[in-house]
Amino acid sequence: MGMAETEFSATGVRIERWPRSLTRAGQVLIKDGRLALLTSYGRVIESAPVRAVRAGKPWFAGDDSTVATLNGRRYRLTMGQRTHRPESRALAGRFLEAVRGAGGTRD
């Protein structure tokens, strides 16, 4: 078990911080023990050590959505927002597993 198994990257992610959308084509990245939410231009929206992140799948989220709390702020992450690909649901599951595998909390 190494860091390579816990790393994660997804592009085309809609990142919302209620009540507004921050980007429709953002990136979620887990690298070197940190989770970063990035705009489509690569600007950091929020970043935190993965072990301090809470992530889960609330009842109101679709199959391709998760909620992550970084530094006390909640974000809704919708995978594959722009392409509506069938693998978006699997990508959301892999994100939750990557957070848990890197020491974060899964709700």
Side-chain angles (χ1 to χ4, degrees):
M1 294 263 193
M3 264 314 272
E5 291 183 42
T6 60
E7 298 207 359
F8 176 86
S9 178
T11 57
V13 179
R14 181 183 186 114
I15 301 173
E16 297 171 282
R17 189 166 144 217
W18 294 282
R20 65 189 186 103
S21 174
L22 301 175
T23 182
R24 292 184 182 175
Q27 183 176 7
V28 176
L29 185 66
I30 296 176
K31 186 173 180 181
D32 299 328
R34 291 192 69 81
L35 170 63
L37 305 179
L38 309 169
T39 68
S40 56
Y41 300 107
R43 185 180 60 81
V44 176
I45 295 169
E46 190 87 41
S47 175
V50 180
R51 66 183 179 283
V53 171
R54 293 179 55 133
K57 191 149 188 48
W59 63 270
F60 59 82
D63 287 341
D64 59 352
S65 294
T66 61
V67 172
T69 304
L70 290 79
N71 304 317
R73 295 182 192 92
R74 285 174 44 130
Y75 295 90
R76 183 173 178 173
L77 311 174
T78 305
M79 307 293 170
Q81 177 68 27
R82 293 176 60 99
T83 57
H84 303 290
R85 296 178 306 213
E87 63 267 16
S88 298
R89 179 180 182 183
L91 199 55
R94 286 201 312 268
F95 167 72
L96 293 174
E97 290 304 313
V99 168
R100 191 183 75 186
T105 304
R106 185 168 172 185
D107 289 337

